[in-house]
Amino acid sequence: MSRTLVQPVGQKRLTNVAVVRLRKHGQRFEIACFPNKVLSWRTRVEKDLDEVLQSHTVYSNVSKGVLAKSKDLLKAFATDDQTAICLEILDKGELQVSGKEREAQLSSQFHEIATIVMDKTINPETRRPYTITMIERLMHDVHFAVDPNLTSKEQALKVIKKLTEHFPIKRAPLRVRFTAPKSKFASLTEKLEEWNANVISKDESGSQPSVVCEIEPSILRSCEERLKDVQGRVEVLSVSAHAEGGSSVDQYENAEESQSVPAVETDPVARIGEAMQKQSISSEPENPGQGQGKQQRRCKECDVLVEDKLYREHCKSGWHKHNYTRHKNGLPPLSQEECFVEMELADSKRDLKDYDF
């Protein structure tokens, strides 16, 4: 009777791990790591190697538990030190992630991009930032997809540019302090008018007068170059200037004098709902003659008439999906504005569950 221990060929070992694979000299080498630890090691967040590696062993196939041969290690790495080889594979190898882990990474990066967009943008009318829930919904509406090969900041700037084309949103201004010698301060004031800067305060006492103002982020570099002519300097006080406190009575009076619009339209939710309604389809036309000549179909879930070429897009919208759920539950349909407000309230209640009071 043979005493050789024969392992089953179909048996799989070390399956609940993150595998890092490296091909070198025609051979495949793998190491077994703990899930969600490889990226922390590569970003220098995790510095303990034992917290990253399942074992200081090099495999040719981790899932089957097949160890790499020593002669292959010497040929490829010129050493048989397992720890040194593991470090090289960990830094240069390709990380094999599962579908759920990849989905979690993309979801985390999507939320990170939305947070950057929220910090860098404001509502043009109220000068206040939108909520994170509203930003994420707008990103879904413009069909934004996360690119794992780009940084979150690069993608956030692209998202802001795309959102400004469809919704009432813009970049938050920079709050800066310009300082110049007293003899050159008049030239600095003229340049502020050219830059359309919003002056907050001035301090003309002392030999170095200064002015605090808000400017567009895109002109910061040109401002620094132009200030060299007047021997001045720029100090950034805030990268995103948001309105603080409540609105004063004078602001409401000025708004009523400049334009007579209902108070409901100044609400950010109503503004975005109106913009989304313009972008998408609307309900039945006010003038019955306008609908003649265009083939339309009635959506029974939303109880509206939709043009044939827009019907497929309408069925993909959040408005239709929400009314479809209500239709299955025996509830009457909602208009697009009512649906948007109801979905926003549901998201707000869901966000409150994440906080412990």
Side-chain angles (χ1 to χ4, degrees), residues 138 140-143 165-167 271-285 294 296 299 302 304-307 309-321 323 334-337 339-340:
L138 295 181
H140 284 299
D141 291 338
V142 297
H143 307 291
E165 298 175 357
H166 301 87
F167 303 105
R271 288 280 296 171
I272 293 183
E274 182 183 354
M276 293 176 62
Q277 185 178 15
K278 290 180 180 179
Q279 184 184 18
S280 180
I281 59 96
S282 59
S283 55
E284 297 184 14
K294 295 182 179 180
Q296 295 181 339
C299 176
C302 302
V304 293
L305 289 175
V306 186
E307 294 183 21
K309 62 180 181 180
L310 298 177
Y311 189 78
R312 182 182 295 272
E313 181 181 354
H314 166 72
C315 292
K316 296 179 181 179
S317 64
W319 177 27
H320 177 82
K321 294 178 181 178
N323 277 331
L334 296 177
S335 64
Q336 191 170 18
E337 295 84 356
C339 177
F340 184 82

Side-chain angles (χ1 to χ4, degrees), residues 136 189 243 305 326:
E136 290 181 348
T189 306
L305 289 175
R326 292 177 60 87

